[in-house]
Amino acid sequence: QLDRLSTFYTRSQASFGSIKYDQIASGAANANQKVQQLTMSQRLFGDSMGNVIAKMAAWQVMGAVIAKPIAAFKEALSVMKEVDKQLTNIQKVSDISPTELNTLGKGAYATASKYGVGADEYLAATYNFQKAGLGSSSAGLAEISTKLQLVGDTTADVASKMIIATNNAWEMGGSMEALSLMVDKADYINNNYATDIAKLSEGMPVVASVAANANMSMEETLAALGTITASTQETGSKAAYAMRALIMNITGEIGDVVNEEGEAFTVTQDSINSMTDALKRFAPEVVQTAKEMGTVIDPMEAIGALSQAYQEGLLNDIELTDILMSVGGKMRTNQLTALIKNFDTYQEMLE
């Protein structure tokens, strides 16, 4: 190692000895000048980039400030166009005057804002009720529909159909008080049982007219739908088609029950006779009361009597299944069994 260091030292001396001292000084001066130039360039470049970055940041902030009101303006303009469109639609299906239409348009913003929805959405619901012939009640019913959407997490279309079906079936005449009661009842069931308003809203248009014709109340119909959907966790439409078949057999109405998949079950005279025979055996008082009063058998009284017979052991599972198979078909037996076996839940919902 010492020999290698000695050789390196000797060669270094030889190399430096051949360079003149003035050349070394000149090179040092040039190097110093280059360093100073580089330093200055870096300073200038640094300042320049700092300015650029600052300007870019300022433009970004300014752009954001400008963009927000522009976006809000565009959105407001879009809503205004939709509002005008809905007002035009309403005018086409009603005899509302220009003054009334203007008042409706102005009020739409305040009402919609109260529920956190768009004025165009509120007016779309108003249009649906106007189209259904509910006239001056339409704006108020649209507000009820909006409330139903929010508490039930359902769509405007489903909410409107439920309200229209309920109103028409029980001939409420567009009464806001009566239809608000319906929403409150549905909300109560939604909050206290393992079902929801979406299912009730889906099922009501399917069964409402048949239930009302059988002298069932709106509250009874909601409670029956609620009991089936809470017990089976199936859709509102399946519960409603099952109820429809059962009610038609109890009241003696011959006809087809067609579900959303297009599957049909026909209520025949044979199925009606089968139901009547079962009621004569397990609910004779209900049959006798209807006969004496000259009315159809009350569906929920009949179901209650069958439930009591089952609870008391007078009606076993095999017999119950046979009865329900004959009146509702295999596809509906599960829903109808749930209603009979959980009749106490139905009664609770009515309280």
Side-chain angles (χ1 to χ4, degrees):
Q1 291 292 339
L2 289 172
D3 290 339
R4 290 178 64 186
L5 288 171
S6 176
T7 302
F8 178 76
Y9 176 76
T10 303
R11 287 179 180 176
S12 298
Q13 279 186 321
S15 297
F16 276 102
S18 64
I19 299 174
K20 295 180 181 180
Y21 286 107
D22 59 342
Q23 289 178 323
I24 294 173
S26 176
N30 287 335
N32 183 56
Q33 184 179 4
K34 294 295 184 183
V35 170
Q36 290 178 345
Q37 290 175 348
L38 179 60
T39 301
M40 182 60 70
S41 296
Q42 288 178 325
R43 288 175 180 171
L44 290 172
F45 183 74
D47 289 342
S48 176
M49 283 303 295
N51 288 335
V52 170
I53 291 171
K55 288 179 180 179
M56 287 177 64
W59 278 108
Q60 284 180 339
V61 173
M62 188 178 296
V65 171
I66 294 172
K68 284 184 179 180
I70 290 176
F73 175 77
K74 287 182 178 179
E75 184 179 354
L77 188 62
S78 176
V79 171
M80 287 174 65
K81 288 181 179 179
E82 284 299 314
V83 166
D84 287 342
K85 178 183 175 181
Q86 294 299 339
L87 288 173
T88 300
N89 290 337
I90 291 170
Q91 191 172 35
K92 288 178 180 178
V93 297
S94 68
D95 56 359
I96 190 170
S97 69
T99 301
E100 291 172 326
L101 194 67
N102 183 51
T103 301
L104 176 63
K106 290 180 179 179
Y109 289 97
T111 303
S113 177
K114 182 167 65 173
Y115 294 101
V117 299
D120 54 327
E121 297 175 272
Y122 166 74
L123 288 173
T126 304
Y127 167 73
N128 287 334
F129 293 120
Q130 283 282 0
K131 194 175 179 181
L134 292 168
S136 59
S137 300
S138 297
L141 295 180
E143 186 170 351
I144 294 174
S145 176
T146 302
K147 179 182 177 181
L148 182 60
Q149 292 173 58
L150 294 177
V151 298
D153 192 25
T154 188
T155 66
D157 184 56
V158 170
S160 295
K161 285 180 178 178
M162 181 186 189
I163 290 172
I164 291 170
T166 302
N167 177 76
N168 292 344
W170 283 280
E171 300 178 353
M172 294 179 175
S175 168
M176 289 186 62
E177 182 179 355
L179 289 165
S180 291
L181 178 63
M182 180 270 293
V183 174
D184 291 341
K185 187 65 179 179
D187 190 35
Y188 168 78
I189 294 173
N190 173 79
N191 291 334
N192 292 280
Y193 298 91
T195 186
D196 54 57
I197 288 179
K199 291 179 180 179
L200 301 178
S201 299
E202 182 185 335
M204 186 63 96
V206 174
V207 74
S209 61
V210 171
N213 289 337
N215 299 320
M216 286 176 61
S217 69
M218 174 268 292
E219 292 86 352
E220 288 176 323
T221 307
L222 279 176
L225 284 171
T227 300
I228 295 173
T229 53
S231 302
T232 65
Q233 292 301 299
E234 292 183 347
T235 65
S237 61
K238 285 186 177 180
Y241 283 113
M243 278 184 61
R244 190 179 177 94
L246 181 59
I247 293 168
M248 288 172 66
N249 274 286
I250 291 174
T251 59
E253 181 182 344
I254 295 173
D256 291 333
V257 178
V258 184
N259 66 16
E260 67 270 30
E261 284 86 25
E263 298 170 340
F265 173 81
T266 302
V267 177
T268 65
Q269 190 59 54
D270 286 341
S271 66
I272 292 171
N273 291 340
S274 178
M275 184 78 249
T276 302
D277 290 342
L279 293 177
K280 285 180 178 178
R281 179 183 174 187
F282 297 108
E285 293 182 0
V286 175
V287 176
Q288 185 62 31
T289 298
K291 185 177 180 179
E292 291 175 354
M293 297 183 66
T295 60
V296 296
I297 296 172
D298 186 301
M300 297 316 297
E301 286 188 8
I303 293 169
L306 290 175
S307 177
Q308 183 176 349
Y310 177 79
Q311 298 297 333
E312 293 175 352
L314 302 175
L315 175 64
N316 60 42
D317 284 307
I318 295 175
E319 291 172 323
L320 178 60
T321 300
D322 287 343
I323 293 170
L324 298 179
M325 280 280 288
S326 67
V327 302
K330 184 178 180 180
M331 298 295 292
R332 297 165 183 83
T333 302
N334 184 46
Q335 292 91 348
L336 299 180
T337 300
L339 180 58
I340 291 173
K341 289 187 176 181
N342 296 280
F343 197 73
D344 56 335
T345 301
Y346 162 81
Q347 292 174 313
E348 287 176 6
M349 289 185 184
L350 284 178
E351 294 176 358

